[in-house]
Amino acid sequence: METIQAFVKLGKHLTDFCEKCYSNDGNLDADFNEVVTRAGQMNGWFTKDNILHALAQWGALLTEENLTDWLSHYPIKRTTSPKTVGIVMAGNIPLVGFHDFLCVLLSGNNVLAKLSSSDKVLLPYLSNYLIQQEPSLATRIKFTEGKMEGFDAVIATGSNNTSRYFEYYFGKKPNIIRKNRNSVAILTGKESTEELTALGEDIFRYYGLGCRNVSKIYVPKGYDFEPFFNAIFSYKDIVDQHKYANNYDYNKAVYLMSNFKILDNGFLILKEDDGQASPISVLFYAYYDAEETLEQELNAQEEQIQCIVSKKGGIGFGETQKPKLHDYADGVDTMEFLLKL
């Protein structure tokens, strides 16, 4: 219960900070503001807007009601022999490993975290805040920069390439090893302008770097892309970010020199492609004849897909970057795994 209350206080802290930032309130937490600034300086993809979005989402999730409801589905008991769980964190979007961190601590186990070099600032700050609220957590949270040792289980997130190394080093221990995944959207041509604009959030948030970002859309034969381009025009300023602009210019040049047929609106390139993982600034698309056939195709590729945005039973437009506490990466119940150690 003490640990839950520490996270509840953290949630309120995050919410208060973000509300002040969005309202241009000058009375900000100076230390926290400096942490956000340093995180952005260390990783050019971590703009203040994207960091605040991640913090605001966690602030909204870390309420007593949400945490209690989520945990009520698990047989959590106090343990006198907690396990040490190593967490190898990715760094593609801000605080991408926070859910694993949360699960380990609330399951009664101890965290041994290896941070990504791309995201080394935010989680240590939040951990220190938690320890201030609940000092007993000081012995349950450890960060390591060297070789991970002394762990009983591992949760590791990386690419398809790094997953092979993870399996080699960690395969003898209980583990969750995650690989590359991407998200897709199924369009029918009957979407409203509001839905297509919201889809822009799924595509562009975090510059498309997250596994929950839509990297490919499926459209019916004869689909008119003009309403889609019109609806996402409000995201045009994304090309002002130099790292994104460099990717856009590079990919456009490569496709044009290769004589690939592309659609382009000045900040997003659409390319017909069988793949799922599109490069930054590129959105793949594919045509489908029948929804039933497409469903079978996506089912066959389920290990490559994180989210499916759709009007019919999928995640709602604009909702991929707002996961709930029970939305586990790769569909693997992290809390259940931890409670069985």
Side-chain angles (χ1 to χ4, degrees):
M1 180 59 72
E2 296 85 358
T3 303
I4 292 176
Q5 288 305 313
F7 277 106
V8 171
K9 291 175 182 177
L10 174 61
K12 187 175 186 311
H13 183 57
L14 295 178
T15 298
D16 289 346
F17 176 76
C18 292
E19 286 179 352
K20 288 178 180 178
C21 284
Y22 287 128
S23 65
N24 295 315
D25 189 326
N27 188 27
L28 292 174
D29 181 316
D31 290 339
F32 200 0
N33 194 46
E34 195 225 339
V35 165
V36 171
T37 300
R38 277 199 296 123
Q41 290 171 340
M42 292 183 67
N43 185 336
W45 293 113
F46 285 18
T47 60
K48 186 172 183 178
D49 178 61
N50 277 331
I51 293 174
L52 290 178
H53 181 274
L55 296 176
Q57 292 308 307
W58 278 113
L61 286 173
L62 296 177
T63 66
E64 186 163 7
E65 181 180 2
N66 287 340
L67 290 167
T68 302
D69 179 66
W70 171 47
L71 296 176
S72 68
H73 296 85
Y74 300 95
I76 298 177
K77 301 177 182 177
R78 289 185 180 273
T79 177
T80 56
S81 55
K83 305 295 185 182
T84 295
V85 180
I87 308 177
V88 181
M89 298 192 173
N92 50 324
I93 66 175
L95 289 172
V96 69
F98 188 79
H99 192 267
D100 293 331
F101 175 86
L102 174 73
C103 288
V104 171
L105 291 176
L106 292 184
S107 67
N109 294 300
N110 301 330
V111 166
L112 174 62
K114 187 174 181 64
L115 298 171
S116 165
S117 59
S118 301
D119 189 7
K120 298 180 70 171
V121 178
L122 296 171
L123 187 58
Y125 174 85
L126 300 190
S127 298
N128 287 336
Y129 183 88
L130 286 167
I131 291 168
Q132 289 173 16
Q133 310 310 310
E134 179 49 54
S136 66
L137 289 173
T139 60
R140 298 182 54 205
I141 301 172
K142 182 180 178 181
F143 295 97
T144 180
E145 293 190 0
K147 183 179 179 181
M148 285 182 54
E149 297 178 320
F151 54 88
D152 303 297
V154 174
I155 302 173
T157 303
S159 66
N160 291 343
N161 288 331
T162 57
S163 69
R164 289 184 229 146
Y165 296 101
F166 292 158
E167 299 210 353
Y168 176 79
Y169 287 111
F170 305 134
K172 294 181 180 179
K173 300 278 188 177
N175 64 71
I176 296 175
I177 295 176
R178 305 192 184 106
K179 303 177 182 179
N180 286 345
R181 289 207 179 206
N182 298 92
S183 298
V184 303
I186 302 172
L187 304 183
T188 65
K190 298 179 181 179
E191 288 77 21
S192 67
T193 299
E194 291 74 20
E195 287 172 324
L196 293 176
T197 300
L199 178 60
E201 175 73 10
D202 301 323
I203 296 167
F204 295 112
R205 174 61 62 185
Y206 305 124
Y207 301 104
L209 289 166
C211 64
R212 299 182 68 89
N213 282 105
V214 169
S215 59
K216 184 172 184 175
I217 57 175
Y218 289 88
V219 298
K221 288 284 181 65
Y223 182 80
D224 180 7
F225 285 96
E226 185 173 354
F228 169 76
F229 275 133
N230 289 338
I232 65 168
F233 187 70
S234 57
Y235 296 91
K236 64 184 183 303
D237 292 343
I238 193 170
V239 79
D240 292 338
Q241 208 273 4
H242 73 279
K243 290 173 72 71
Y244 182 92
N246 289 343
N247 279 270
Y248 169 79
D249 291 337
Y250 172 80
N251 289 316
K252 183 175 180 178
V254 168
Y255 292 154
L256 291 175
M257 286 190 296
S258 303
N259 292 321
F260 286 124
K261 183 180 178 181
I262 61 172
L263 302 172
D264 173 32
N265 68 350
F267 60 92
L268 179 68
I269 300 165
L270 262 65
K271 178 177 181 288
E272 187 173 2
D273 200 290
D274 291 334
Q276 297 286 3
S278 61
I280 296 168
S281 78
V282 179
L283 180 67
F284 287 163
Y285 70 92
Y287 293 105
Y288 65 89
D289 291 311
E291 293 183 21
E292 295 77 13
T293 305
L294 176 58
E295 183 178 352
Q296 293 173 3
E297 179 184 336
L298 294 179
N299 285 340
Q301 301 179 54
E302 63 178 347
E303 291 191 1
Q304 301 175 44
I305 296 174
Q306 191 70 257
C307 306
I308 298 177
V309 177
S310 169
K311 290 171 71 78
K312 297 182 178 180
I315 293 175
F317 292 91
E319 297 297 313
T320 62
Q321 298 299 344
K322 301 175 183 178
K324 303 295 188 289
L325 292 170
H326 58 264
D327 289 328
Y328 296 102
D330 296 10
V332 177
D333 191 322
T334 311
M335 187 63 78
E336 183 179 45
F337 164 78
L338 292 166
L339 292 173
K340 290 181 177 179
L341 293 177

